[in-house]
Amino acid sequence: MKSADRIYFGGDYNPDQWDEQTLEEDMRLFRKAGVSLLTLPVFSWARLEPDEGVYDFAWLDRILERISANGIRFCLATPTSAQPAWLSTRYPEVLPVDIQGRKRTHGMRVFFCVNSLKYRERAGAMAHEFARRYARHPALAMWHVANEYGTSCYCPTCQARFRLFLKKRYGSLEELNRRWHTAFWGRILTSFEEICLPTELNDDYRFNPAVQLDYMRFLTDSTLECFRNEYDILKSYNPDIPVMTNMSGFIRKLDQFRFTQAMDIVGWDNYPSPGDKPHFVAMKHDIMRGLRHGQSFILTEQSPNQQNWQPYNRLKRPGEVRRLSYQALAHGADTCLFFQMRQSIAGQEKFHGAIISHAGREDTRVFREAAGLGHELEKLGSRFLEGRVEARVAVLMDWNSWWALELSSGPSRDLNYLRALSFCYRPLHDRNIPVDFLLPQAGMDLSPYALVLAPMLYMVRPGVAECVDAYVREGGHFLATVMTGLADENDRCVFGAYPGPFRDTLGIWVEETDALRPEEKNGLRMGDSLYTCGFLCDLIHVTHAKVLATYTEDFYRGMPAITRNIRGRGEAWYIGTRPEEACMDALMDRLLRHAGVHPPFRAAPGVEITRRVREEGTLFVINHNDHEAWADLGEETRTSLLDGRTVSGIIRLPAGDVGVFTDDRKDKPC
Amino acid sequence: MKSADRIYFGGDYNPDQWDEQTLEEDMRLFRKAGVSLLTLPVFSWARLEPDEGVYDFAWLDRILERISANGIRFCLATPTSAQPAWLSTRYPEVLPVDIQGRKRTHGMRVFFCVNSLKYRERAGAMAHEFARRYARHPALAMWHVANEYGTSCYCPTCQARFRLFLKKRYGSLEELNRRWHTAFWGRILTSFEEICLPTELNDDYRFNPAVQLDYMRFLTDSTLECFRNEYDILKSYNPDIPVMTNMSGFIRKLDQFRFTQAMDIVGWDNYPSPGDKPHFVAMKHDIMRGLRHGQSFILTEQSPNQQNWQPYNRLKRPGEVRRLSYQALAHGADTCLFFQMRQSIAGQEKFHGAIISHAGREDTRVFREAAGLGHELEKLGSRFLEGRVEARVAVLMDWNSWWALELSSGPSRDLNYLRALSFCYRPLHDRNIPVDFLLPQAGMDLSPYALVLAPMLYMVRPGVAECVDAYVREGGHFLATVMTGLADENDRCVFGAYPGPFRDTLGIWVEETDALRPEEKNGLRMGDSLYTCGFLCDLIHVTHAKVLATYTEDFYRGMPAITRNIRGRGEAWYIGTRPEEACMDALMDRLLRHAGVHPPFRAAPGVEITRRVREEGTLFVINHNDHEAWADLGEETRTSLLDGRTVSGIIRLPAGDVGVFTDDRKDKPC
Amino acid sequence: MKSADRIYFGGDYNPDQWDEQTLEEDMRLFRKAGVSLLTLPVFSWARLEPDEGVYDFAWLDRILERISANGIRFCLATPTSAQPAWLSTRYPEVLPVDIQGRKRTHGMRVFFCVNSLKYRERAGAMAHEFARRYARHPALAMWHVANEYGTSCYCPTCQARFRLFLKKRYGSLEELNRRWHTAFWGRILTSFEEICLPTELNDDYRFNPAVQLDYMRFLTDSTLECFRNEYDILKSYNPDIPVMTNMSGFIRKLDQFRFTQAMDIVGWDNYPSPGDKPHFVAMKHDIMRGLRHGQSFILTEQSPNQQNWQPYNRLKRPGEVRRLSYQALAHGADTCLFFQMRQSIAGQEKFHGAIISHAGREDTRVFREAAGLGHELEKLGSRFLEGRVEARVAVLMDWNSWWALELSSGPSRDLNYLRALSFCYRPLHDRNIPVDFLLPQAGMDLSPYALVLAPMLYMVRPGVAECVDAYVREGGHFLATVMTGLADENDRCVFGAYPGPFRDTLGIWVEETDALRPEEKNGLRMGDSLYTCGFLCDLIHVTHAKVLATYTEDFYRGMPAITRNIRGRGEAWYIGTRPEEACMDALMDRLLRHAGVHPPFRAAPGVEITRRVREEGTLFVINHNDHEAWADLGEETRTSLLDGRTVSGIIRLPAGDVGVFTDDRKDKPC
């Protein structure tokens, strides 16, 4: 597949909304802003196929010629996320049934049944048309299939296919009854035909975790088939063009580890909420990079200014878009794409930010900042594209575990997987220690890592605990937290005490878990220090482990809360509660020391330093503070890729500024 | 049409709930209380037509004779707001389908499909029966059609008629696609048959403003047809009797400017919430008066005591009903009617206040107060009935703009049109300056006004901006606020910067609009004064305007927040944010001075002074305080119409008291 | 019927979830814990009847033999609360329609239409199978029908049967129209076929109290028929075995006074929320004891540790389960049963506490505490089983009144019947004064009581007020509160002032009722003391009563708030508001003095003392404090039934401890 020769800069463009004059003005503005890629025509199915099998591509041909004539490449999107009204009207099977059992009427976008054969037939036909016409177009940079997949459906087709999915997955009813533990509440099945989708009509979507988990797997697979339907067609015309789709934000309902294996490259839309901390955004990028084993990804969308769907749509502050863009690049993105190039004048998103706003002017703050960024990125060339981030710390992360954890009734309603991940990720990010996210599965290779974390890894797939134990015994360092190791892939709890298959590795067993209300706290005594903790408190017994911290209050005062087990040549740590941040910092420092992982750079708080390596290294330094801050880049003499100056040692970045430097070190950074 | 010879005092009466003895007692109590009008029989369809086409009016005849024999007139209500169960059962088409797509079963009230031909047939037949029997009854004062219209419906009939409505409105699919901007999200239509009603089944009711707006117009028109169906019949029997219906509170979903044009007079039900400020209630009356170009209106309902449907149903305090009644009269009401005369013993509203409560006694506070008010109103005769309020300040107000504004996704979820109106109205009310509410439309006559306000006039109809601009150039004063001038009638935003068609008039353009969370503030520097502001902050560029105030914080510190543009012989002001009240007071004082509008009377805070003029003037003075307060009524010698005393200059009103005085001034009051 | 010879200790056991080895281990642990009763097989229908009429009881036979071989008895549960999937699939009529009109699909538990004839047929057949096999089994202690009944249904069968229910209840449409007061909102019915169930489709479930009340009666009766269907079969095989079902917590929707009359004994599941005060739990037990005229009851379920369905599932603290168990016994329970013996490994309740947790160990706190309690209860033998609590204070309590009160629209949304009961119960519990709960109905015998309370007895059945008045005139003491005496059985308010039929007894009438917001207060002057009050304030006129307290604020300052009426040889008190607790304490002391009711024991706050009497008395002393506390047990010398020591006078109980003592006094304790 062909590699990009630049950091594509640009984004979603909907030319079918504009007249000739506006299009011409847009081309002028795109050139002025250094735009190199446009994604289109995401929502033009009805324009391109006004009636079944009747195609009108002439207008698109003209647009694409105009775009390439302006030196801009395109990311061609099959417009299959919003089927034409005629398709819904003529073939209602295309429309989904919702979780309340209601047949949807035509509307919205991404509102088709992913299992509808008619939908797949027409989407496939459209993909053929696209590929036939444009697969060899010299300005075609990549394919983009549909848009933000993620429609649940509970129609009869899905019902039937769900039964087939289960028959294939479990082979027999006996196995299904066993794996779903149907003896509970007398749910034993005597025929596959008795299986109902988990909806509001039977409340299984929230009261029957086993069936809901399999429904979510089924939904992922069904959506994947939809994607593959088009992927295979597009690739058949030109295998060199990468094919992907853009994932909606941080969508929980599709298992993205599974989904992205079918793509050539991961694409995702980054829309941080106003209150999101830099480490939280960084973590999401790192997860995205982890989906395909560290492969770089496409930042398919971000907003050049405010959003429209937040309760209060705060303007992005000056410099904020630039910081977010460099943060994405620093963590593995190869592009800087926006939604959207020109602001729609109507519809749900008319108040969403755009590079060219309703005002249509180039003398706006947003256009100036975008154009500045566009030209700045041109200078960076393709230096770090497809470059990797080298990490010695890994976090185990699994969509299946996420689903199961948040489906759990008890012990606390505050179970939140992303928050749990972020809670362990934050101190690493504060220390500028690179982190990889890994899918925990049998046979995974943990050897590159000095430290492996398992925050709330509630569900454990077969072979994972064995892998972890071998890793520890051979000298690895492992950290697990409360709610780790409780259930198997069907949400059946371990027989025997928690943390289940990690019990021996960790050298402990958990007798009970207390749930605290948000305003309640317990205390931790760790050495001479006292901290607070909350959320959940495991009542731990150590079998082989050493006690690092004990509770200071309540009837379990004095019982272990944090433990460390030396096993073989390695160590396995366990945190049975949610300590305050200062405690996590102290703990992480100690753990990193034990694991031999050292922060690669010293820097003031709020300064993020990341390194990507291809043939040569590139160092990104981002000052998230609203004041000047320092970073110590070490003895190496580096060249700024933005202004050409050379630096070494301590540098000072203005408030909110970004630096990009050469980095020649070949050794791993920590 | 015949004019009333008194301020009708009385209200809703449901005699079919009571036995002979109770009816007789009621007549005694009505006479005792000075009741002059009863509204009935609002909910008696099933009693009057126990089977299709079978009528039983004998009991109603007897009641009406008894009422008129007691010297009381009646407002006859066609009982068509609650169809009989047999009608729903025999013709299910009469029952609505709700926004979730669910066919309703018989129940509630006002639960028919306004487009059901069967409903209209039976309602029309009932209107014929009423008119045939009573249209020439000497005690008939007015007709009242149905009750509190406002049922949405999403049945197949409505679906079909909505398509016809659109076909008529837009002529062609091409025009519809253009006006709805269906290119967004690929919603292009290839047949009118593809149009679906905006419901929860496609989420268009909240995610597709263009279709939702047209649905609300369609609902208004359909309801209007329902009303007209009966109106035409009633008028055909006796054109002299006025026909109206009562509007439910301040119902957003029907365009009342449009709806009330089909009535002889506006009727509305005033149910302030316990926390409503006097200026907010006054504003609602002024809007009602504005619906038919300043024509006086019928206060169809208010509660003589607590309501039952508030979370906490506070008793009305002694004197409170009297103050509310005089406030209504002062702002344009010609009647003082209550819901209800006798408290129902059962059903949803059994704890709603009534003049005769469950206790059935006349020695209650509520009965005494009502009777006192009844006799007091008798003294006022017909002096100010049909009298007008003369105002030199107008507020532009449009239901269509209200809908579109509150449908908007972004910039802030706190968009609230009534609050925006009230925010500009409050300082005028504090200064006792009369205000007219006008529908902004092409050709409107602004010449009577020295000042015209456009608070959050989000949607602008064709010709309105031109009208405003001509008004300003000829010497008028105009004020617009943030969120004014953004969209057209189909919620398509302006091409070019906000405030769109008012840009030249105001001499500014708005680059961006920041949305603040409720707890966030910015500051305003206006001359030497500092104020706070919040909610939204426009980032304004002045082209010709002068800057009156600038922001003091954030990256847009120093940018204009409030501007004034001299244009021709007039001035156009713009407020790009929501300043604190003290700032609005300062600003309004200045603006009124420029516009040459002067408060007609000085008075203590909380004292409301209003003037109605027919042949002679009448002055209403209401002390909303719980302490004595003063008002300066000027040099003119006035006679109190309540106690006959003469006053001039400064008067003192006891806590919560009301004064009504002669007013001979023929010149406009401000 | 045969009496128990011990306090059954044990609970729900689901052996069909476990393998042979686990079953054997369970038997060992049960013996170790002193388990004497197991409830099973609650959810095994599908296992026992894998196809229609095909039974497989062999596995259950083996289990029961194993259980009885271990000296444990069983409470046999017909597994009819969760029908097999094949039954739902083959006969969809078995599945309910929900209040939204949606047909349910198979899922959950307790999800059958209680009026389905097919369900009743299959449930009856299952009951026959059970009875035929086990009715004479020597280890059978009792029958347990289904589990936690309480499914609403709105299917066509229910619709039809509801009409029949009403026809039977009211005889004629005329009577129905009168009783439902259908004249309100024009709801007059001309045929029974026009009656619709009160659902979300007509909003009658919340806006039409009369129909909703009858629906709740209908639901109670329909559920009762379901229970009786199995009851009659089970009894026909062996009339000596008691039959009951377990009520879900404190289920509002079934009239438990009516429902439990069809049982041999009341069974209920006690799941206090973490914040419930001891008096609140005690009150619920007393209500349960009141359902069948003071008969002792079965505590069918409680949790040996945390629950899983609370937002935050707090662990039960050491000793807490023991205290709760003794409190139940002290108030009338004859058993100490838990849900569940062994924790399920999967499903909705997998994190619910169990005596044997997932860890499967006996060295856990929970197992140790349970075993300790089991052996302690063995010592108590059958001494107080079937014993009664002797009370001279009664509270009138009616599910119908509960329904009607909380359906009320106005005067306040904070109407909460249990809270109102608890508000009067709390000071009695604080004084260790026993309380009976009585259903208020014509002919009830109040003569055993020195004091009768009617907190918010909103709905009054015919004959009740006459009964109360006779009771007072003959020397009884009566207390009613605000919201008492307003409505009849059809929620029609009294004609004439509140408190309706109690007006003469209480010697007052209420003119109005003010509703205060939660943050608002009024004051009370009672003698020389000042208190606060809130919630509701009746504006009272005394006709014969004396004024005990007056309001201190607002326009009704000085009006009576609390009154006392001497009538015949008795007294009738009225509290027209919600006073603060200190005021209730002062008032209750005075009232108890007047009524001649004296606290039987002095004790420190938080020490609960209760007495059950069979042939001999048993005294329960529970220290709910987390510190040592005293109780004065008087001059009698008592033997501790737990440790054999003798005590008299003042004893000191350690924090959270329990004492059980002999009690020889034959006179009533207060």
Side-chain angles (χ1 to χ4, degrees), chain A residues 62-278:
Chain A
R62 285 194 300 275
I63 291 285
L64 294 180
E65 283 327 298
R66 193 195 292 253
I67 289 171
S68 60
N70 279 275
I72 299 171
R73 297 190 190 160
F74 34 81
C75 166
L76 271 180
T78 63
T80 49
S81 70
Q83 77 270 22
W86 60 256
L87 182 53
S88 301
T89 306
R90 206 172 298 162
Y91 306 99
E93 57 162 287
V94 164
L95 290 167
V97 168
D98 72 13
I99 197 168
Q100 296 195 51
R102 306 180 305 188
K103 184 72 174 175
R104 304 274 290 172
T105 59
H106 189 80
M108 289 294 290
R109 54 174 203 175
V110 204
F111 61 105
F112 48 84
C113 167
V114 283
N115 282 308
S116 160
L117 295 181
K118 189 71 198 178
Y119 169 80
R120 291 197 191 166
E121 173 208 309
R122 298 317 309 155
M126 182 54 79
H128 269 295
E129 289 297 317
F130 265 71
R132 194 165 62 75
R133 288 163 192 276
Y134 306 121
R136 299 282 168 185
H137 195 295
L140 175 63
M142 51 187 120
W143 291 112
H144 177 293
V145 172
N147 180 63
E148 297 191 346
Y149 278 111
T151 305
S152 302
C153 179
Y154 303 88
C155 75
T157 306
C158 288
Q159 174 82 281
R161 289 178 65 88
F162 184 51
R163 289 169 183 165
L164 286 173
F165 169 88
L166 294 170
K167 204 174 282 182
K168 191 168 160 201
R169 183 174 177 87
Y170 296 114
S172 70
L173 264 185
E174 289 64 37
E175 182 65 6
L176 179 71
N177 277 317
R178 202 175 63 78
R179 296 280 288 272
W180 280 9
H181 196 72
T182 51
F184 177 76
W185 281 0
R187 298 293 301 276
I188 293 168
L189 295 159
T190 54
S191 155
F192 277 99
E193 298 309 301
E194 291 161 11
I195 296 170
C196 297
L197 290 165
T199 67
E200 287 192 19
L201 302 181
N202 56 11
D203 289 326
D204 276 359
Y205 77 101
R206 55 189 181 123
F207 288 139
N208 195 334
V211 62
Q212 178 64 12
L213 279 174
D214 273 335
Y215 175 74
M216 295 179 94
R217 289 172 184 134
F218 167 72
L219 183 66
T220 295
D221 281 11
S222 301
T223 308
L224 193 53
E225 287 174 20
C226 246
F227 171 80
R228 272 211 180 106
N229 176 43
E230 299 190 40
Y231 177 95
D232 290 344
I233 294 163
L234 295 172
K235 294 301 272 193
S236 72
Y237 284 82
N238 183 348
D240 291 339
I241 303 294
V243 182
M244 49 119 211
T245 185
N246 59 327
M247 280 180 297
S248 167
F250 216 76
I251 188 170
R252 192 182 74 149
K253 65 179 155 183
L254 298 179
D255 175 356
Q256 298 187 20
F257 270 108
R258 186 169 174 87
F259 194 43
T260 55
Q261 300 321 303
M263 301 177 197
D264 293 326
I265 187 165
V266 167
W268 90 288
D269 301 345
N270 180 30
Y271 289 102
S273 290
D276 285 353
K277 301 274 174 57

Side-chain angles (χ1 to χ4, degrees), chain C residues 536-556:
Chain C
L536 294 172
C537 293
D538 275 346
L539 278 53
I540 299 173
H541 298 276
V542 293
T543 49
H544 299 88
K546 299 269 185 297
V547 177
L548 292 185
T550 55
Y551 297 107
T552 65
E553 309 297 331
D554 220 318
F555 76 90
Y556 43 92

Side-chain angles (χ1 to χ4, degrees), chain B residues 396 451-452 454 468 471-472 476-480 502 505-506 571-573:
Chain B
L396 302 181
L451 173 60
V452 172
V468 166
Y471 162 76
V472 170
H477 286 72
F478 176 65
L479 171 76
F502 296 117
T505 312
L506 294 161
E571 296 182 10
W573 298 42

Side-chain angles (χ1 to χ4, degrees), chain A residues 321-500:
Chain A
V321 168
R322 180 169 174 254
R323 270 196 311 285
L324 283 166
S325 300
Y326 278 106
Q327 188 185 36
L329 295 168
H331 284 270
D334 280 352
T335 62
C336 179
L337 301 176
F338 293 92
F339 177 84
Q340 50 193 335
M341 300 310 294
R342 178 177 274 277
Q343 193 171 12
S344 178
I345 58 158
Q348 174 63 6
E349 296 180 334
K350 63 184 172 295
F351 291 129
H352 193 287
I355 288 174
I356 304 166
S357 73
H358 290 154
R361 301 172 69 127
E362 64 196 271
D363 62 346
T364 62
R365 176 180 75 92
V366 168
F367 187 85
R368 275 193 310 269
E369 287 195 36
L373 179 60
H375 293 298
E376 200 175 69
L377 295 179
E378 278 175 7
K379 294 184 205 161
L380 297 174
S382 63
R383 174 186 175 90
F384 55 78
L385 297 189
E386 300 176 26
R388 303 180 73 87
V389 174
E390 292 168 343
R392 293 186 59 226
V393 177
V395 174
L396 302 182
M397 195 268 183
D398 188 348
W399 256 256
N400 284 259
S401 194
W402 187 358
W403 297 334
L405 181 79
E406 298 188 4
L407 272 171
S408 175
S409 172
S412 166
R413 75 165 165 201
D414 293 345
L415 296 172
N416 180 315
Y417 191 50
L418 283 190
R419 201 181 152 203
L421 293 176
S422 159
F423 182 76
C424 287
Y425 182 88
R426 198 264 319 153
L428 296 164
H429 183 265
D430 280 0
R431 285 157 184 74
N432 290 305
I433 293 174
V435 174
D436 277 350
F437 282 80
L438 289 191
L439 177 68
Q441 54 188 342
M444 62 183 167
D445 180 14
L446 299 179
S447 63
Y449 300 103
L451 172 61
V452 172
L453 311 176
M456 289 211 200
L457 188 65
Y458 171 80
M459 167 188 290
V460 184
R461 296 174 192 250
V464 166
E466 294 74 2
C467 231
V468 166
D469 196 58
Y471 163 75
V472 171
R473 279 187 280 104
E474 288 160 21
H477 285 73
F478 177 65
L479 170 76
T481 76
V482 56
M483 296 303 292
T484 292
L486 271 65
D488 72 5
E489 286 183 286
N490 294 98
D491 199 32
R492 291 179 300 179
C493 285
V494 293
F495 231 71
Y498 317 140

